[in-house]
Amino acid sequence: MDERVKVHGMAKSPYYWRVAWTLKLKGVPFEYIEEDLSSKSQVLLRYNPVYGKVPVLVHGGKPICESSAIMEYIDETWSDHGAPLMPGRPYDRAMARFWTKFADDKVI
Ligand SMILES: N[C@@H](CCC(=O)N[C@@H](CS)C(=O)NCC(=O)O)C(=O)O
């Protein structure tokens, strides 16, 4: 399996930075691919055919979309890289997801 991590993003996207900061926090090296959202690449549309949005993280050749899902994937995949991002208890994880969605809907 190709273990390299690639992120399709856009420098001004707060959703991209969410993912980039998570990878940096975990010490996971990645290749950054800047997307021109006014002329989306075929690769981006293939990786995210539902929304055609960034960020998309590619790991082992498989794409993952949606910044909050990507953050949880990173947290679980590199669980031995420092402190976990998500809390251990189900109730606390539910609360973390609630506030993440609040930030998506109301803040960003
Ligand atoms: N809910 C998505 C939002 C991603 C998003 O809105 N990305 C914007 C850039 S900030 C985008 O790709 N826009 C292109 C489009 O709407 O066609 C996430 O959390 O990843």
Side-chain angles (χ1 to χ4, degrees):
M1 184 166 90
D2 181 359
E3 286 295 336
R4 281 175 301 179
V5 175
K6 296 181 186 179
V7 181
H8 291 253
M10 197 263 286
K12 290 182 183 160
S13 166
Y15 301 102
Y16 160 68
W17 282 107
R18 218 183 219 182
V19 169
W21 286 333
T22 305
L23 287 166
K24 285 171 194 283
L25 207 60
K26 289 282 183 177
V28 178
F30 64 99
E31 178 187 342
Y32 173 62
I33 297 133
E34 171 84 10
E35 289 286 344
D36 175 359
L37 296 180
S38 64
S39 171
K40 295 176 183 174
S41 70
Q42 288 304 308
V43 177
L44 174 63
L45 296 174
R46 182 156 46 86
Y47 282 152
N48 190 352
V50 177
Y51 296 115
K53 291 185 176 187
V54 295
V56 176
L57 179 137
V58 185
H59 183 217
K62 291 192 286 191
I64 302 151
C65 307
E66 284 298 319
S67 57
S68 53
I70 296 170
M71 286 169 69
E72 288 199 36
Y73 176 83
I74 295 167
D75 201 23
E76 290 172 12
T77 302
W78 290 278
S79 57
D80 55 343
H81 286 217
L85 294 179
M86 289 296 270
R89 286 186 297 220
Y91 178 81
D92 295 337
R93 280 204 298 279
M95 287 296 101
R97 291 185 184 115
F98 172 88
W99 287 112
T100 302
K101 181 151 172 40
F102 176 83
D104 286 348
D105 295 346
K106 306 283 187 196
V107 181
I108 298 178

